[in-house]
Amino acid sequence: MKRIVVASKNRNKIREISLALDSMGIEVLSLEQFDVPEAPETGDTFIENVYQKSYFYVKLIGLPVLSDDSGLVIDALEGAPGVYSSHFAGVGASDKDNIKRVITLLNNKKLKESGAAFKCFMMLTFPDLKGYWSQGELKGKVITKPRGAGGFGYDPIFIPVGDLRTLAEYTIDEKNRISHRGRALRKLVGILKGEADV
Amino acid sequence: MKRIVVASKNRNKIREISLALDSMGIEVLSLEQFDVPEAPETGDTFIENVYQKSYFYVKLIGLPVLSDDSGLVIDALEGAPGVYSSHFAGVGASDKDNIKRVITLLNNKKLKESGAAFKCFMMLTFPDLKGYWSQGELKGKVITKPRGAGGFGYDPIFIPVGDLRTLAEYTIDEKNRISHRGRALRKLVGILKGEADV
């Protein structure tokens, strides 16, 4: 059986990716199964961070590595929080802190909402430094009044385009179907299966 | 016949890529065949520049786009000139000017040589934002006394590992066989042909 390592210890993420690759006879391993330090993440773009992570683990482990980086890009904040999404309010900040900082910045601009998108960049890297990549996006808007108890991160202030509910008001299945990471993953699986049109 | 656009107007580059993809029934088009502006190139890493270029042209043209970015990375100069290789001595600088700047910086450090590598990052991008990528590298050293009349760019001061000649003393065929771009291209063709090991 073929094996890849997902550059993450998040069990939900590992499970989601396992499900997608299982039918191709690919076994998905977690970083938890290896005794490796944390990869640096110093890029100022998603793609740079993903490549940095991939390169770091593929050199250490010697197996193909699947990495992703994602975040929320808000129009009115010139693309912030972007690559800083997970620690926008500082190192160790909670989801609530991060959301609060976004709301404060929008309030400062006298805005109640702004166009926004969740973006995900995904890369499968082979030890000889080549691979596949994909980008997934979920467009919508952010609002300054959080709603909903599901999801995580910025979900309580993000409303997908064409809906009235925040992502935190979606079921997990509903969210997986449209999420930026779900979309990137399905594209990557497609290209792995030879579905690209060249 | 399938078609891709190479994000370049350099005829030598187009020819090299055409030769590699011809056997796969892929027709290679040049940017010269399209009336499009020049892509921005503002990243501070090769991968970011390649993605920026790919994204720009794939959105404008709607066909798969093959882009690359490459440069010389010098150990003693903390990776410079890197993404600034083509204009290290300023906008519009000649190869000679750029070489002179490298030599000056090495002289300032009282160095006669330094470890270095030519690096190339290559990406094939489909209009729905997914694709293939590869990285090619040629390791060696730079010296402060230029030699040879062939090649271009920093070739007269670059000596590939295991050799005594500078790249400017290679024939074109010899250079293509070992060059960073040649290596990246062969890897990309390999993965296009399904030769990756997952």
Side-chain angles (χ1 to χ4, degrees), chain A residues 8-9 26 34 41-42 54 56-57 60-61 68 70 75 78 80 99-100 115 123-124 146 148 157 164 173 176:
Chain A
S8 170
K9 296 181 177 178
I26 296 172
F34 301 88
E41 201 175 297
T42 58
S54 285
F56 183 81
Y57 290 121
L60 275 176
I61 299 173
D68 72 290
S70 50
D75 297 344
E78 287 89 45
I99 286 179
K100 209 170 146 187
M123 229 171 170
L124 178 60
I157 57 166
L164 295 169
D173 279 354
N176 282 347

Side-chain angles (χ1 to χ4, degrees), chain B residues 108-123:
Chain B
N108 290 347
K109 291 181 183 276
K110 317 263 181 238
L111 293 172
K112 283 187 176 145
E113 59 178 62
S114 165
F118 276 113
K119 294 197 181 193
C120 174
F121 207 96
M122 201 172 271
M123 228 172 171

Side-chain angles (χ1 to χ4, degrees), chain B residues 155-168:
Chain B
D155 290 354
I157 57 167
F158 187 88
I159 299 181
V161 69
D163 205 339
L164 295 169
R165 295 173 300 164
T166 69
L167 262 190

Side-chain angles (χ1 to χ4, degrees), chain A residues 44-60:
Chain A
D44 52 17
T45 56
F46 295 126
I47 186 170
E48 175 59 17
N49 278 338
V50 177
Y51 180 66
Q52 214 174 46
K53 221 176 340 185
S54 285
Y55 186 91
F56 183 81
Y57 290 121
V58 93
K59 289 291 169 193
L60 275 176

